[in-house]
Amino acid sequence: MHVSYTYKAALMGQDTTVLVIMGSTRAGRVCPTIAEWVAQLGRERTGFRHEVIDLANWPLPTDDEAAIPATRRYAQDHTRAWSQKISGAAAVVFVTPQYNWGYPAVLKNAIDHLYHEWHNMPAVIVTYGGHGGTKCSAQLQQVAGAVKMRLAATAPALVLPEAVIREGATLDPNREFNQQVMLIQDAFGELADLMA
Ligand SMILES: Cc1cc2nc3c(=O)[nH]c(=O)nc-3n(C[C@H](O)[C@H](O)[C@H](O)COP(=O)(O)O)c2cc1C
């Protein structure tokens, strides 16, 4: 199945790198484990290259750009580099925890540093939390609409075990999220259709 996606993309000369953007930069986070697992499902489902993006490696201060992003008059090298990174992506997948019913500030900040770069970007939102992070998913869907991304209809919400949240127990996504695998595969199928 996935061969047809890559074949079609190759025919169209598309850059098919999917960026899997992690919403958490917190010390002791589980985000890398979940993001890598989601990225692997994406590779298997679509055949496209998936690169996990750690926002900790993309420091974007909140106060050093005088012009609003919609003008694209970026003064800082780090903003220009972030702009280039997102512009080069064929699609994005957000993998983010819910914090106090919203999504982490670092992710909002990374989105808000750009504007046109997000337009028409095919995107999937994957959330996680004690109840799956559906409230932060709704918020992120709204913001994605503001910057004119094209969202997959399926937004998987992964329920974290209490022991992972409270005691820092090791997370095994294959075991804990087994029931959600098909949903995530569906989301990647929709993403590939949006990229076609
Ligand atoms: C500041 C903060 C707020 C949180 N708020 C929520 C919440 O609203 N709903 C929820 O289900 N879990 C909440 N949690 C628990 C997180 O889902 C859990 O800690 C998860 O591991 C966070 O992802 P991360 O480890 O990748 O940062 C919160 C955690 C933090 C640190």
Side-chain angles (χ1 to χ4, degrees):
M1 172 77 85
H2 69 258
V3 174
S4 62
Y5 291 134
T6 44
Y7 179 64
K8 200 167 172 182
L11 277 181
M12 294 168 73
Q14 287 177 349
D15 175 350
T16 48
T17 297
V18 177
L19 298 182
V20 179
I21 301 176
M22 294 198 288
S24 174
T25 53
R26 193 179 67 89
R29 62 197 167 158
V30 295
C31 203
T33 302
I34 301 174
E36 289 293 350
W37 181 76
V38 168
Q40 187 54 29
L41 287 174
R43 290 179 195 113
E44 289 165 9
R45 178 67 180 84
T46 67
F48 295 144
R49 181 173 174 268
H50 285 61
E51 179 185 348
V52 175
I53 297 293
D54 185 350
L55 293 175
N57 297 327
W58 293 89
L60 297 160
T62 55
D63 53 7
D64 62 2
E65 289 287 353
I68 68 166
T71 66
R72 273 190 163 132
R73 290 201 299 271
Y74 303 132
Q76 305 297 332
D77 285 345
H78 45 250
T79 313
R80 281 192 282 269
W82 182 233
S83 167
Q84 211 172 0
K85 189 71 184 171
I86 299 304
S87 297
V92 298
V93 177
F94 296 104
V95 176
T96 184
Q98 178 165 303
Y99 285 177
N100 298 319
W101 294 14
Y103 55 92
V106 70
L107 178 55
K108 181 69 161 67
N109 180 54
I111 294 170
D112 288 347
H113 262 73
L114 309 177
Y115 183 62
H116 295 287
E117 294 84 341
W118 302 115
H119 283 23
N120 293 315
M121 182 75 82
V124 168
I125 294 172
V126 180
T127 58
Y128 58 92
H131 302 280
T134 51
K135 290 186 194 305
C136 86
S137 184
Q139 290 191 8
L140 188 48
Q141 285 172 45
Q142 188 170 12
V143 169
V147 295
K148 302 182 172 62
M149 291 185 204
R150 289 184 292 132
L151 283 179
T154 301
L158 309 172
V159 177
L160 282 182
E162 197 63 18
V164 171
I165 298 176
R166 299 273 166 203
E167 288 139 42
T170 304
L171 175 70
D172 178 355
N174 279 320
R175 193 183 62 219
E176 299 300 341
F177 306 145
N178 184 40
Q179 300 294 316
Q180 268 80 39
V181 168
M182 275 178 65
L183 201 65
I184 295 172
Q185 288 170 339
D186 285 351
F188 275 110
E190 292 165 19
L191 187 73
D193 288 342
L194 289 169
M195 292 162 70

